[in-house]
Amino acid sequence: MRDVAAIRTAAGFFMQLDFQFGGGHAHKAFRHYFREDVLPLLSASYSPKVGEALFRAASEMAQLLAWSAYDSGNHALSSRYMMSTLRLTQVIGDRVMGARILTNMSHQANYLGQAPRAVTLARASVEGGRAAAPPRAMALFSAHEARALSTAGDHRGAGHAMNEAERYFERADSAEDPEWLSYMDEAELTGEFCHCFRDLGQGPDAVRLAVRAVELTDPKYARTLGFCRMVLAQSQLLNGDLEAAVTTARRAVEAGDALQSARFQRYVGDFQRQVSVHAHNPVVQQFNEGVEAAMRRLDDE
């Protein structure tokens, strides 16, 4: 059990690095620790009680490793780790973590533009977790179903999924949650919803929720805060407020200059493409120059 405690402590450490500095910051060290210190333990001798705890801890770390690879832009490696983690959860019948992995797979498919697959995986996570997952986990799974449906342009389905997520979240404190779910708070849920409204083209609602998400997000979750600021900028642009959008995006880039996250870089790149129709506007030109300078600093590091 000391080994299990060590793995859980390491997982918490790597998770915080991931949230604060992006998946690229410590992915190599994380991968080395998993391969050299965690995997060998799975083939050791242990009692059934220790074995179950060990596999649970290993699956939690494996899903973090898959997530950091995803955030780094290494999608093939991330997919392999997600499938391996799913098999780990099946060994011990951990349906909640299994549903979490399906949610992660949906998130990645959505990011890669595979909306139908994202919807299928998200619905599988909701159905797979329904019988065993605590309300907070079900809120997470339903929120990601809403994300996938929003990308697919299904307004009615996305609205229903968001309502379900809210309904589950209202009961979030009524059950004991696994440690890996600790980040799923009001800020996280609001952040998921502002993405939904942005993708549905509902600018005013997206701005309202993005502002709230920025206010609620703890600065230690620097990557999440960067995402929410970029969604706010995109939503302000949807509303036709170019100067406010660029100001918000500039703040996100300045605050996120230490993030080694391919996903954050894509948010910035998407925004640059969206404002490219205003390329001759001095405000946009200054923003683009600032992004280039930030990218050079990141490359130098």
Side-chain angles (χ1 to χ4, degrees):
M1 293 304 289
R2 286 194 298 270
D3 291 322
V4 173
I7 293 171
R8 291 192 182 280
T9 300
F13 173 72
F14 282 115
M15 182 168 66
Q16 188 53 50
L17 283 176
D18 179 70
F19 276 130
Q20 192 164 353
F21 299 106
H25 181 74
H27 177 74
K28 289 182 180 179
F30 194 179
R31 189 178 179 187
H32 178 82
Y33 178 83
F34 184 75
R35 293 172 66 177
E36 300 298 325
D37 293 85
V38 178
L39 286 181
L41 291 173
L42 300 184
S43 57
S45 299
Y46 36 73
S47 68
K49 179 181 178 181
V50 171
E52 180 176 351
L54 180 62
F55 271 79
R56 285 184 185 276
S59 65
E60 290 173 19
M61 177 157 278
Q63 77 86 20
L64 281 170
L65 185 58
W67 192 262
S68 69
Y70 166 30
D71 192 54
S72 302
N74 194 335
H75 296 289
L77 180 63
S78 175
S79 295
R80 290 200 298 272
Y81 272 117
M82 286 187 191
M83 290 304 300
S84 297
T85 308
L86 198 56
R87 287 193 288 271
L88 280 174
T89 67
Q90 292 168 346
V91 169
I92 55 173
D94 189 344
R95 293 177 62 89
V96 180
M97 178 58 80
R100 166 70 187 279
I101 301 307
L102 290 173
T103 291
N104 290 355
M105 293 170 71
S106 171
H107 196 293
Q108 184 184 40
N110 200 21
Y111 179 85
L112 294 174
Q114 303 164 358
R117 182 169 183 266
V119 171
T120 299
L121 288 165
R123 284 177 169 162
S125 75
V126 170
E127 291 305 315
R130 199 183 300 278
R136 190 181 303 274
M138 289 302 299
L140 174 68
F141 305 155
S142 296
H144 282 284
E145 181 183 9
R147 285 281 301 271
L149 289 166
S150 298
T151 301
D154 185 343
H155 288 250
R156 183 175 180 180
H160 175 74
M162 282 190 276
N163 287 336
E164 286 290 285
E166 284 187 318
R167 184 173 65 83
Y168 283 120
F169 193 75
E170 287 172 357
R171 298 188 287 115
D173 295 329
S174 65
E176 185 175 350
D177 298 316
E179 289 183 19
W180 57 259
L181 196 55
S182 61
Y183 76 96
M184 182 57 190
D185 55 11
E186 183 184 355
E188 183 71 17
L189 185 66
T190 306
E192 299 297 348
F193 285 175
C194 72
H195 280 79
C196 293
F197 285 114
R198 177 205 62 184
D199 293 341
L200 292 169
Q202 299 180 18
D205 286 329
V207 167
R208 174 176 57 83
L209 286 168
V211 167
R212 180 63 176 156
V214 169
E215 291 173 347
L216 289 173
T217 301
D218 191 317
K220 72 180 181 180
Y221 298 119
R223 184 180 57 202
T224 300
L225 186 55
F227 292 163
C228 291
R229 282 177 170 149
M230 290 308 304
V231 172
L232 175 56
Q234 292 171 322
S235 303
Q236 289 168 328
L237 196 61
L238 272 177
N239 289 345
D241 196 343
L242 176 64
E243 289 198 13
V246 172
T247 298
T248 300
R250 183 171 60 247
R251 186 174 299 134
V253 171
E254 290 171 351
D257 65 349
L259 286 172
Q260 295 185 29
S261 167
R263 289 192 296 147
F264 179 70
Q265 292 170 14
R266 176 170 156 179
Y267 275 73
V268 176
D270 286 347
F271 181 78
Q272 286 183 292
R273 283 188 290 276
Q274 290 163 354
V275 297
S276 62
V277 294
H278 307 286
H280 297 297
N281 188 305
V283 173
V284 175
Q285 291 175 345
Q286 291 172 8
F287 172 73
N288 287 332
E289 291 168 1
V291 171
E292 291 175 7
M295 293 303 296
R296 285 195 297 271
R297 288 194 299 272
L298 193 59
D299 289 340
D300 290 341
E301 293 172 2

